């Protein structure tokens, strides 16, 4: 009988399920978008119940007609998004507050004024920013009636989306080190929740999940789940935040190897091996994964809006009907006529970390068309990646000659070529850009012993290579214009 691995990829705009065979070939997949709730400018929420239901739906669809069995489930997820629910009922007390949400910016300012910036960086590897879970959780406890008192009594549980899914699938209240490292509450060197930060934010430790390595058994799927009976008793055996999972899926196992994921946001990540490096240039130090007792760290540059800018063109502006149309229109013009688009819908991430910046379209002239707008949006993603890449090179002391790409927006060949041109580095795109889901599947396969260690994992398959073609003078002129445009909105 054939055995498969089911990867759950719970993202910011959709839930997906991908079934892999033991040759790492995706044999079935399903995807559902879910509602983006935008109650105020800069606020972003999800219905936590809808997240679970959409995930269950795609699991059923991916498994329908399966001839064989599932050996393990791997989970990868949008990170930092914060859910609080009742221990007795499993019902959320409020919508999930999404990683993009900036509502807790004032709490961050207060923490800075109290002189905690250095301690947060030293302990967690992060910056004080509304991006991370800690201040979102404090906001929930402060603003949902009775939440703080109930949390103190042990009636409420907190989790990022991985924890929320595992709880609904298995009943266990756990997370992995990669997700814990994104909360701004976790000591990434001592591998434990930090008591001082919990006290500073008045968060009871009893509401936090147990932290486990990224590969191993987190729990077993409940028996008798409707339409998922075949999963009863199957272990959830691999868990990692989406960017760490993509790094693993791209086989970036060696220190110095790196990838960029072009998803809702953009995330450039470099494996730094067994040591956590504190950045002096706006990067984050984070845990990539833990296998057994061995912890692997990474430097990361987080771009808040990448693929979401294309989605904005489609959904809010009605400028295109599909991402492919955006790509095609961009190809019809030679440049943007000197205009720059800055997709700071929810502030600027690395290396600027400006919570209050907002999006702008600058330098528009009368001849500017829909095609120029599409090109400007795609170029803005590549410019942001160069911002992060330069900072990461400075931190690491290494010059990056090539970069692995994955994520939905990596399907844009225009974007990939412009990225190579504006950085001067080769871009390598796998035939399948499902690196995130594949990373979760690989961790699960290690977790149940299909692979004994990473040395047994086969290398990445065929890659499409985009080599830089733009003259250096033109590259630097365009990038200088981008830097000027960014300064205008800060």
């Amino acid at each position: 009988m054939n055995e498969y691995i089911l990867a759950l990829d719970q993202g910011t705009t959709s839930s997906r399920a991908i079934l892999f065979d033991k040759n790492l070939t995706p044999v079935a997949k399903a995807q559902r978008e879910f509602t983006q709730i935008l109650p105020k400018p800069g606020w972003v929420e999800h219905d936590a119940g809808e997240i679970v239901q959409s995930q269950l739906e795609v699991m059923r669809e991916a498994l329908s007609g399966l001839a064989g069995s599932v050996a393990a489930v791997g989970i990868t997820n949008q990170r930092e998004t914060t859910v609080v629910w009742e221990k007795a009922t499993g019902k959320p007390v409020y919508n999930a507050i999404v990683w993009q949400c900036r509502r807790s910016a004032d709490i961050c300012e207060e923490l800075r004024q109290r002189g905690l910036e250095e301690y947060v960086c030293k302990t967690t590897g992060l910056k004080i920013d509304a991006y991370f879970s800690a201040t979102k959780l404090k906001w929930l406890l402060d603003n949902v009636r009775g939440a703080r008192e109930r949390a103190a009594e042990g009636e409420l549980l907190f989790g990022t989306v991985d924890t929320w899914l595992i709880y609904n699938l298995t009943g266990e209240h756990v997370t992995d080190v990669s997700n814990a490292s994104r909360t701004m509450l976790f000591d990434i060197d001592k591998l434990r929740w930090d008591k001082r930060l919990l006290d500073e934010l008045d968060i009871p430790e009893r509401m936090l999940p147990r932290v486990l390595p990224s590969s191993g058994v987190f729990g077993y799927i409940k028996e008798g789940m409707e339409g998922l009976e075949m999963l009863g008793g199957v272990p959830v055996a691999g868990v990692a935040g989406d960017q760490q999972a993509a790094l693993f899926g791209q086989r970036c196992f060696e220190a110095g190897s790196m990838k960029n994921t072009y998803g809702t946001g953009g995330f450039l990540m470099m494996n730094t091996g067994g040591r956590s490096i504190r950045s002096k240039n706006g990067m984050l130090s984070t845990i990539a994964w833990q296998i057994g007792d061995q912890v692997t760290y990474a430097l990361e540059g987080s771009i808040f809006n990448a693929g979401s800018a294309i989605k904005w063109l489609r959904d809010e502006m009605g400028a295109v009907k599909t991402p492919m149309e955006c790509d095609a229109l961009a190809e019809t013009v030679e440049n943007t006529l000197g205009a720059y688009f800055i997709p700071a819908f929810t502030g600027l991430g690395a290396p600027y970390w400006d919570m209050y910046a907002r999006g702008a379209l600058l330098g528009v002239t009368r001849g500017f068309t829909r095609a120029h707008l599409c090109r400007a949006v795609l170029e803005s993603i590549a410019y942001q990646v160069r911002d992060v890449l330069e900072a990461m090179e400075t931190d690491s002391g290494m010059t990056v000659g090539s970069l692995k790409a994955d994520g939905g927006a990596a399907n844009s060949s225009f974007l990939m070529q412009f990225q190579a041109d504006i950085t001067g580095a080769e871009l390598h795109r796998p035939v399948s850009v499902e690196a995130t889901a594949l990373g979760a599947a690989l961790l699960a396969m290690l977790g149940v012993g299909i692979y004994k260690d990473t040395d047994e994992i086969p290398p990445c398959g065929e890659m499409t290579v985009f080599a830089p073609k733009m003259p250096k003078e033109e590259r630097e002129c365009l990038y200088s214009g981008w830097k000027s445009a960014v300064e205008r909105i800060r």
Side-chain angles (χ1 to χ4, degrees):
M1 180 182 289
N2 292 326
E3 272 196 320
Y4 300 90
I5 303 295
L6 180 63
L8 310 183
D9 184 355
Q10 204 300 301
T12 309
T13 59
S14 69
S15 295
R16 302 192 307 151
I18 302 178
L19 196 65
F20 292 93
D21 65 19
K22 286 189 177 180
N23 295 319
L24 307 181
T25 302
V27 296
K29 67 175 69 175
Q31 181 171 352
R32 294 275 190 286
E33 290 194 0
F34 54 85
T35 308
Q36 304 297 303
I37 302 167
L38 309 169
K40 295 181 181 181
W43 288 33
V44 189
E45 299 176 0
H46 292 154
D47 180 332
E50 187 183 4
I51 287 176
V52 172
Q53 289 306 312
S54 63
Q55 194 66 70
L56 293 173
E57 287 172 9
V58 294
M59 290 167 69
R60 295 184 186 107
E61 183 177 339
L63 293 171
S64 62
L66 177 67
S69 62
V70 176
V73 174
I75 294 176
T76 184
N77 55 283
Q78 54 168 313
R79 305 171 304 170
E80 298 96 15
T81 295
T82 298
V83 188
V84 174
W85 64 95
E86 296 175 340
K87 187 175 183 179
T89 66
K91 293 182 178 178
V93 301
Y94 190 83
N95 281 338
I97 300 182
V98 179
W99 60 272
Q100 296 168 311
C101 187
R102 315 309 290 170
R103 75 183 65 193
S104 60
D106 289 346
I107 299 173
C108 294
E109 292 291 354
E110 181 189 346
L111 294 176
R112 288 199 192 97
Q113 290 169 11
R114 281 155 55 185
L116 285 168
E117 184 84 69
E118 184 178 348
Y119 183 80
V120 166
C121 179
K122 179 181 177 182
T123 305
T124 71
L126 309 177
K127 298 178 70 67
I128 294 177
D129 194 87
Y131 174 27
F132 306 109
S133 311
T135 58
K136 301 178 192 300
L137 176 53
K138 177 174 169 54
W139 186 94
L140 275 166
L141 295 178
D142 289 344
N143 289 276
V144 175
R145 175 179 283 184
R148 185 166 293 288
E149 294 75 17
R150 296 183 69 192
E153 291 298 319
E155 296 178 14
L156 301 183
L157 300 177
F158 153 78
T160 43
V161 170
D162 60 307
T163 302
W164 174 237
L165 288 180
I166 295 167
Y167 187 83
N168 279 274
L169 291 171
T170 73
E172 299 291 337
H173 185 221
V174 293
T175 189
D176 94 296
V177 290
S178 73
N179 280 292
S181 75
R182 309 300 295 189
T183 60
M184 213 179 82
L185 296 170
F186 192 70
D187 187 320
I188 62 172
D189 295 310
K190 296 177 181 176
L191 304 183
R192 66 190 185 198
W193 299 116
D194 185 74
K195 187 174 188 331
R196 179 180 172 185
L197 289 173
L198 291 172
D199 289 344
E200 293 281 0
L201 290 157
D202 196 13
I203 294 170
E205 186 170 357
R206 65 196 303 182
M207 73 184 303
L208 305 184
R210 186 161 52 100
V211 184
L212 300 174
S214 310
S215 186
V217 175
F218 289 76
Y220 297 89
I221 305 292
K222 297 173 186 175
E223 300 284 352
M225 295 185 72
E226 184 180 352
L228 296 172
E229 289 80 5
M230 70 178 300
L231 290 182
V234 172
V236 175
V239 176
D242 51 11
Q243 303 316 314
Q244 290 94 330
L247 191 72
F248 201 83
Q250 289 272 33
R251 321 304 204 276
C252 294
F253 300 146
E254 302 299 321
S257 55
M258 62 193 306
K259 64 86 197 174
N260 191 59
T261 296
Y262 297 81
T264 300
F267 301 91
L268 191 65
M269 186 173 276
M270 174 188 286
N271 182 328
T272 61
R275 66 190 183 110
S276 54
I277 298 173
R278 298 303 186 268
S279 171
K280 297 179 180 179
N281 296 282
M283 299 298 100
L284 306 173
S285 186
T286 195
I287 296 178
W289 53 74
Q290 181 184 356
I291 298 172
D293 295 330
Q294 185 175 353
V295 179
T296 298
Y297 293 90
L299 274 176
E300 178 179 316
S302 304
I303 297 164
F304 293 157
N305 289 281
S308 58
I310 303 170
K311 195 171 188 297
W312 169 81
L313 266 185
R314 183 193 71 183
D315 296 347
E316 275 72 48
M317 300 303 291
V320 295
K321 293 181 179 178
T322 66
M324 291 76 76
E325 184 183 3
C326 179
D327 213 39
L329 281 168
E331 295 272 17
T332 65
V333 291
E334 293 184 359
N335 53 53
T336 64
L337 301 180
Y340 290 89
F341 177 71
I342 306 171
F345 304 129
T346 51
L348 287 171
Y352 306 104
W353 296 105
D354 187 337
M355 294 184 291
Y356 303 105
R358 289 296 178 262
L361 179 61
L362 302 172
V364 176
T365 57
R366 181 65 181 84
F368 190 84
T369 66
R370 184 164 61 110
H372 293 104
L373 176 60
C374 289
R375 183 171 181 126
V377 165
L378 290 172
E379 287 187 359
S380 75
I381 300 171
Y383 285 127
Q384 291 179 99
V385 171
R386 175 163 172 182
D387 285 340
V388 172
L389 187 62
E390 290 200 342
M392 195 168 285
E393 287 180 331
T394 302
D395 274 332
S396 67
M398 292 183 278
T399 299
V400 176
S402 65
L403 190 61
K404 293 180 179 179
D406 59 76
N411 286 306
S412 167
S413 292
F414 171 83
L415 173 58
M416 296 296 96
Q417 184 58 55
F418 189 77
Q419 186 71 84
D421 286 339
I422 208 64
T423 59
E426 278 191 351
L427 211 70
H428 296 245
R429 181 180 67 189
V431 172
S432 170
V433 295
E434 301 288 6
T436 305
L438 181 57
L442 290 172
L443 286 167
M445 294 170 86
L446 282 168
V448 294
I450 294 173
Y451 297 125
K452 292 179 181 177
D453 54 41
T454 55
D455 290 339
E456 292 192 352
I457 295 175
C460 291
E462 183 182 349
M463 295 270 190
T464 302
V465 178
F466 296 86
K469 300 176 181 177
M470 185 181 289
K472 182 177 180 180
E473 184 177 337
E474 181 181 355
R475 174 192 312 143
E476 298 309 318
C477 181
L478 287 171
Y479 185 58
S480 176
W482 163 260
K483 297 287 282 187
S484 297
V486 170
E487 288 308 311
R488 295 275 295 277
I489 70 154
R490 296 189 66 197

